[in-house]
Amino acid sequence: MRLRQIEIFYHVYRTGSISAAARDLNVSQPSVSKVLRHAEDRLGFALFMRRKGRLIPTAAADELFVEAEDIYARLSTFNRSLENMRSRKGGHLRLGVLPSLSLSVGPELVAHLRDQDPDLSFELTTLHSVEIEAALREKRVDMCIGFEPVDDPRIQNHHVGDGRMVIVSGQPLAGSPAEVSEQVLHGAEMIGISESGPLGTMIRQQLDDRGIVPQEVATAHTYHVALSLVRKEVGLALTDQFTAYSHLGAGLQRYLLSDFPGYSIYAITLADHPDEGKVAPAVDALREVVARVAEGIRSLQPREP
């Protein structure tokens, strides 16, 4: 079936009549009938039974509609993309952002770049670390923001800042108001994170090396869900500071780990991006944003009495 035939079939099936489908498509009823008849002739079987002026879908039509609905949805997405491209006044930047940075660094970067160029438009996609390399090589994104560099000569890694790990609690912890030792996690009820990214690997390795064994009472797939569980006082969570000090962490108790390793943040791009004039300023802007967000986080942290 051709796309036009699929479109006609979709609307006839959904509306249940030739006339209604014609109105939806803003075409004449005879043209709809003609395309539908040609489609059935080409397929070699009927899609609808004609009974007393009504169209009754056949079993084959019921089966095909599932596929047609998916195709039509993708076609609608394609057309919306065309409309978006037509309405753009300036450049367009596609960003891949880790979930833990999607509520702080990602939005801050977009706002910062929009201040510099109001005509610039954006697309933000949430990616996990293992998806970054393929997304860049397949040119689905222009720049990714991650916690570790990608080892590929076709990809360029730009170090843009650093962060620290934070314990988040629903109630105050004993000890310093600003920093605590990771020993508070030993035997404590804790929300585990079932993600295999660089931070998850680092956390597990450090706890193992230090002989720290928390009591994992729940497991979350993202740091954001972990903070929601902390808010319900299910247990403590160990997360990066950008997640801890995003709006999801507001109102919770947050403590920097005094002697726990930190992590780096990278802007990751193709080494030979065809529009370097668009990507290079974004990397510089991200470096400024990470520094600004980190400084804002420091201002929120309690000071020593």
Side-chain angles (χ1 to χ4, degrees):
M1 294 177 72
R2 296 174 180 173
L3 281 177
R4 184 57 174 170
Q5 293 171 331
I6 293 173
E7 184 179 38
I8 293 291
F9 164 69
Y10 171 85
H11 281 275
V12 171
Y13 186 101
R14 191 176 60 83
T15 62
S17 73
I18 296 292
S19 59
R23 286 195 298 271
D24 280 356
L25 294 168
N26 197 28
V27 297
S28 67
Q29 292 185 39
S31 65
V32 171
S33 297
K34 182 179 179 180
V35 172
L36 186 60
R37 185 171 61 253
H38 285 171
E40 291 179 317
D41 290 342
R42 186 181 185 90
L43 292 171
F45 53 81
L47 295 171
F48 299 93
M49 303 298 294
R50 281 75 173 171
R51 294 177 183 172
K52 297 181 180 180
R54 297 181 58 209
L55 294 179
I56 309 299
T58 63
D62 290 335
E63 187 175 345
L64 283 176
F65 182 74
V66 176
E67 302 296 334
E69 193 171 30
D70 181 60
I71 293 171
Y72 198 80
R74 283 184 285 167
L75 183 61
S76 296
T77 300
F78 179 81
N79 287 329
R80 283 197 301 273
S81 296
L82 290 177
E83 288 299 323
N84 290 338
M85 293 170 67
R86 185 182 292 115
S87 64
R88 288 174 193 159
K89 298 179 181 178
H92 184 67
L93 186 65
R94 299 165 302 164
L95 300 171
V97 187
L98 294 181
S100 53
L101 300 175
S102 63
L103 295 179
S104 53
V105 174
E108 285 285 343
L109 176 61
V110 170
H112 183 69
L113 288 170
R114 284 274 295 168
D115 286 341
Q116 295 180 344
D117 183 359
D119 291 334
L120 190 61
S121 62
F122 301 86
E123 177 183 344
L124 268 71
T125 302
T126 301
L127 295 174
H128 294 283
S129 296
V130 295
E131 301 172 299
I132 287 177
E133 182 177 350
L136 286 167
R137 286 194 286 102
E138 295 168 9
K139 298 184 178 179
R140 290 185 277 117
V141 294
D142 300 302
M143 183 176 84
C144 289
I145 307 173
F147 288 134
E148 65 179 353
V150 174
D151 185 14
D152 187 316
R154 296 165 293 181
I155 290 176
Q156 191 167 2
N157 302 287
H158 313 263
H159 178 255
V160 295
D162 300 289
R164 294 176 64 184
M165 300 303 295
V166 177
I167 292 178
V168 185
S169 172
Q171 296 294 331
L173 299 176
S176 166
E179 297 189 10
V180 296
S181 167
E182 68 277 1
Q183 292 297 328
V184 301
L185 293 173
H186 189 66
E189 295 182 339
M190 182 177 172
I191 312 300
I193 307 293
S194 63
E195 69 102 14
S196 57
L199 290 193
T201 301
M202 185 266 283
I203 289 172
R204 288 189 293 271
Q205 186 64 53
Q206 289 295 322
L207 294 180
D208 289 345
D209 290 348
R210 296 160 191 247
I212 298 172
V213 184
Q215 180 186 351
E216 191 169 303
V217 296
T219 302
H221 289 281
T222 68
Y223 292 112
H224 300 156
V225 173
L227 289 191
S228 298
L229 291 170
V230 172
R231 193 175 299 280
K232 295 296 183 180
E233 298 189 14
V234 174
L236 307 177
L238 179 55
T239 181
D240 66 278
Q241 68 183 123
F242 294 95
T243 299
Y245 285 89
S246 68
H247 72 266
L248 285 180
L252 297 174
Q253 307 297 314
R254 296 164 288 197
Y255 303 88
L256 289 170
L257 284 172
S258 56
D259 58 354
F260 210 78
Y263 54 87
S264 296
I265 300 176
Y266 294 88
I268 310 167
T269 65
L270 283 176
D272 57 349
H273 194 283
D275 194 352
E276 183 64 21
K278 174 177 66 176
V279 173
V283 173
D284 293 336
L286 178 60
R287 189 172 284 109
E288 294 178 32
V289 164
V290 169
R292 189 167 65 193
V293 172
E295 181 58 36
I297 288 171
R298 282 191 288 272
S299 70
L300 291 172
Q301 292 164 0
R303 304 302 179 187
E304 295 284 357

